[in-house]
Amino acid sequence: MGHHRSSALLDRLLVWSLAHPIKPLHGVAAVVAAVLVVSLIRVFLITSVAPWMLFIPAIVAAGLLIGREAAIIASLLSVIAASLTLGRLENPSWMTVPQWLGTLLFLCITLVLGLVAAELRFAFARQTQLAEENARTSQALRERESFLASILASSTDCIEVVDLDGTIRFMSEGGLRTMQIDDPSAIVGRPWLDFWSPSEREKAGVALARALEGQSTQIIGQAPTMTGTLRWWDAAITPILGADQRTERILSVSRDITPSRADEAERRRLSRIVETTTDFIALADAAGTVFFLNDAALELVGLERSVLGTIRLEDFFAPEEGGLLQAELLRSVESEGSWSGERLFRHFATGETIPVLCTLFPVTASDGTLIGYGTVTRDYRDQKRMEAQQKLLNDELSHRLKNVLSVVQSVAAQTLRQADDLGSASQALSARLVALGEATAVLTASSWSSAGLEAMIHSVLGHHGTIGERFRLSGPPLTLRANGALAFALALHELATNASKYGALSCESGHVSLSWSITENGPEARRLHLVWQEIGGPKVSPPSRRGFGSTMIERSLQAYFEGETRLDYHADGLIFEIDCPLDAAAMLA
């Protein structure tokens, strides 16, 4: 019990001395003081004991508490002090021979004791240092283990340790959560390959075989969770090597990349759209410098991809509109989120102005900070051409309708003016409007640009008799010009109506010969000659007064065909002739 107490006291003294090291000068002073105190005790208090014994505790204490140098100094000073207390002046050599021998023996013993004490101090210090280092190492190991354990627990990666036979030995907590596994024992000892989809097992098996050979492999594939949810994984399969550099186990770290695969698929889809679209797509940084143009954009404005980084958004606009980008459009983008409208781009090679439908929008970082601008712009040239064509057609239709209405108005006025009563006026007007409608239908079929002569004849005269029997046609293919087609149709209608009432069509034996020919006196002197001749009808005599039909036939056709007309009431049948320049009335089909 006393031994344990003294040992504990010694340990505390050593710990204290190591924690409070004494400077060398202070240590020498302490040794001198201790030897001096022991010498005084020897001289005044304990004179009967051999002096050497009194100095041993001081020498041992100096070695234990201060160190080797202090122990050596204490031994030498103790020998000197002991010699001084033993010697006598009357002795020629100060001390007797036995005393000198005892002193030398004392010096050797104290040197050994002091050095042993100093070594004990050093050993204790080393042991204390090693104990502290072991404690620090153990603490670091505990902290590392705790850190690694927290990493494994918090990581969403599926971390697995696989034995050489391909079975799972360990799976991290994050892996259990990601794989939707409630009972860890359900997967320990199961083949690692079984967790992959059947279509991926061959690839996973190759990676496992390479890991057994000491090679690392990365694979991407599909594997279902324990609940059957199919997910994409990016797995790194790495060998765990032993001291002999042989594979002892295999580490598999799998990351769920299902969301990124979906994002990648969407990016690929958008990339295909950008690459294949005919729309102009451009991206610029916040300063307006363009860093991306798709192929359609390069083609639309006549640029090469090498201009990227040197061209700005406003450069695409026509000179008269370039200032609008900064002044209005980009401000609208920043304040309203986007801008859309019609603008004018320019072709860099030809200078052509290109009408476009332009949409500008901001490009922002994840925190909402503006980092650039984008535009999706559509070439509007076809649309503008269509609009111009539609306007032209509308204007033309308006013009034609006005012409038709003018003709209708004229026909109605003439009919009503020359009719004997409202009944006959209504009947005559209806018949004339029907003829006018038939002619209009023929013109509409050719967009009011022209009308085939035979088609017009068939359309108007078909109501009055069979073409080929009652009406016998002959002549080359011709196309009537639109401006005279309506007047010609009304003239045919009036001639056929009169023939049905009074002429060749009023009897079964009669018919009408309608012929036309072209006289060639050079390309600029070609003339059209058309003859309407009634044959086999009753005798004809001139009318007592000129009606609407004869007036319209002669005057209208003269005006539209720029030629001469002749209406001959021949006794054997009515003859009507037109002689005019071909170019004024028709053109060769």
Side-chain angles (χ1 to χ4, degrees):
M1 190 75 171
H3 171 72
H4 289 301
R5 282 198 297 270
S6 60
S7 176
L9 178 61
L10 180 60
D11 289 345
R12 283 195 292 273
L13 288 173
L14 287 172
V15 169
W16 181 88
S17 67
L18 291 173
H20 303 82
I22 299 174
K23 295 180 180 181
L25 185 60
H26 295 168
V28 170
V31 168
V32 171
V35 171
L36 180 59
V37 169
V38 172
S39 299
L40 292 174
I41 292 173
R42 167 71 178 82
V43 172
F44 296 105
L45 298 177
I46 308 176
T47 57
S48 60
V49 179
W52 303 294
M53 300 300 294
L54 296 174
F55 289 99
I56 289 176
I59 295 170
V60 172
L64 285 174
L65 299 179
I66 300 177
R68 183 181 301 165
E69 292 78 5
I72 293 173
I73 293 173
S75 297
L76 293 175
L77 290 177
S78 296
V79 167
I80 294 171
S83 298
L84 290 175
T85 60
L86 287 175
R88 295 289 184 269
L89 291 175
E90 60 272 15
N91 194 332
S93 59
W94 184 254
M95 291 186 299
T96 63
V97 172
Q99 287 177 330
W100 279 111
L101 292 175
T103 300
L104 291 175
L105 180 61
F106 170 71
L107 178 61
C108 293
I109 291 172
T110 54
L111 285 173
V112 171
L113 287 175
L115 292 176
V116 169
E119 287 301 319
L120 287 175
R121 172 186 172 82
F122 176 77
F124 184 83
R126 180 60 178 164
Q127 180 183 5
T128 301
Q129 181 183 4
L130 290 176
E132 291 175 351
E133 290 179 356
N134 288 336
R136 287 194 296 270
T137 301
S138 298
Q139 180 63 26
L141 288 174
R142 286 192 297 272
E143 292 176 355
R144 181 179 177 82
E145 288 175 359
S146 176
F147 177 69
L148 292 175
S150 64
I151 290 177
L152 290 175
S154 60
S155 174
T156 58
D157 290 344
C158 182
I159 303 173
E160 301 163 288
V161 176
V162 182
D163 283 331
L164 298 181
D165 60 359
T167 58
I168 296 175
R169 172 180 287 268
F170 167 81
M171 181 179 288
S172 64
E173 292 183 27
L176 294 172
R177 289 193 302 270
T178 304
M179 287 294 292
Q180 298 177 321
I181 298 172
D182 295 328
D183 183 10
S185 62
I187 54 99
V188 175
R190 288 186 56 185
W192 179 75
L193 292 177
D194 287 355
F195 284 88
W196 291 94
S197 298
S199 59
E200 309 286 356
R201 287 175 188 168
E202 181 179 356
K203 178 168 54 179
V206 171
L208 196 63
R210 294 188 64 185
L212 291 173
E213 296 172 356
Q215 302 178 45
S216 298
T217 308
Q218 185 173 6
I219 62 173
I220 295 177
Q222 288 183 300
T225 65
M226 287 294 283
T227 60
T229 304
L230 194 62
R231 307 193 71 83
W232 281 94
W233 304 90
D234 184 349
I237 297 92
T238 308
I240 300 175
L241 303 179
D244 58 357
Q245 296 301 303
R246 293 184 178 181
T247 302
E248 291 186 345
R249 290 187 178 87
I250 297 168
L251 177 66
S252 170
V253 180
S254 303
R255 176 161 295 177
D256 183 0
I257 60 170
T258 305
S260 62
R261 289 286 292 196
D263 293 343
E264 182 181 350
E266 180 65 15
R267 284 194 297 270
R268 286 198 300 267
R269 187 183 71 83
L270 292 176
S271 178
R272 286 194 298 270
I273 291 175
V274 169
E275 291 171 358
T276 58
T277 184
T278 57
D279 287 341
F280 176 110
I281 297 178
L283 295 174
D285 59 22
T289 302
V290 177
F291 61 85
F292 173 80
L293 288 170
N294 67 341
D295 292 341
L298 295 171
E299 182 178 355
L300 179 65
V301 296
L303 289 175
E304 298 293 334
R305 201 167 294 279
S306 58
V307 304
L308 294 178
T310 63
I311 195 168
R312 298 175 58 80
L313 278 177
E314 56 262 31
D315 296 335
F316 296 123
F317 291 83
E320 61 270 24
E321 295 199 343
L324 290 174
L325 183 68
Q326 293 291 344
E328 298 181 15
L329 307 189
L330 293 186
R331 289 184 181 177
S332 297
V333 169
E334 295 174 6
S335 62
E336 301 177 14
S338 66
W339 179 90
S340 293
E342 294 186 25
R343 291 265 74 91
L344 294 176
F345 274 14
R346 67 185 178 100
H347 193 281
F348 284 76
T350 65
E352 175 192 1
T353 299
I354 305 170
V356 295
L357 178 62
C358 178
T359 299
L360 290 166
F361 55 89
V363 178
T364 59
S366 57
D367 60 356
T369 304
L370 178 71
I371 59 175
Y373 302 94
T375 174
V376 177
T377 300
R378 180 159 295 175
D379 184 353
Y380 239 37
R381 285 177 292 188
D382 290 342
Q383 180 71 18
K384 288 298 182 182
R385 281 192 287 266
M386 290 173 60
E387 290 177 0
Q389 181 67 20
Q390 186 64 45
K391 184 178 184 303
L392 179 63
L393 290 175
N394 290 339
D395 292 344
E396 182 68 17
L397 178 60
S398 175
H399 174 69
R400 296 302 179 188
L401 287 175
K402 289 178 181 178
N403 287 345
V404 171
L405 289 175
S406 297
V407 172
V408 170
Q409 184 180 19
S410 175
V411 169
Q414 292 289 340
T415 301
L416 293 173
R417 186 180 302 119
Q418 299 184 5
D420 294 329
D421 55 67
L422 288 177
S424 60
S426 175
Q427 185 178 2
L429 180 60
S430 295
R432 287 164 181 165
L433 291 180
V434 168
L436 188 62
E438 296 292 342
T440 302
V442 174
L443 282 169
T444 302
S446 60
S447 301
W448 281 81
S449 61
S450 60
L453 177 58
E454 286 201 37
M456 182 70 74
I457 292 171
H458 278 259
S459 176
V460 176
L461 299 183
H463 300 287
H464 297 276
T466 304
I467 304 297
E469 294 180 3
R470 302 289 272 176
F471 297 97
R472 299 175 186 181
L473 312 179
S474 65
L478 287 179
T479 300
L480 292 174
R481 298 190 183 279
N483 55 356
L486 289 179
F488 181 73
L490 286 174
L492 286 181
H493 169 72
E494 294 301 323
L495 289 170
T497 300
N498 288 335
S500 298
K501 291 180 178 180
Y502 313 111
L505 299 181
S506 64
C507 60
E508 293 295 330
S509 60
H511 68 276
V512 175
S513 172
L514 182 56
S515 63
W516 59 92
S517 61
I518 298 172
T519 59
E520 294 281 353
N521 294 322
E524 297 182 359
R526 292 182 298 184
R527 296 186 71 82
L528 170 65
H529 186 72
L530 184 143
V531 179
W532 169 288
Q533 184 176 3
E534 298 182 15
I535 301 170
K539 295 296 181 178
V540 176
S541 60
S544 59
R545 65 183 179 89
R546 293 177 63 84
F548 166 76
S550 58
T551 302
M552 190 277 299
I553 290 171
E554 290 182 334
R555 294 181 181 177
S556 295
L557 291 183
Q558 283 178 4
Y560 281 111
F561 285 9
E562 301 177 9
E564 299 177 357
T565 62
R566 185 173 69 88
L567 194 59
D568 184 6
Y569 294 94
H570 194 276
D572 293 334
L574 179 71
I575 298 174
F576 172 69
E577 294 180 89
I578 302 174
D579 187 74
C580 66
L582 176 64
D583 290 343
M587 48 191 167
L588 293 173

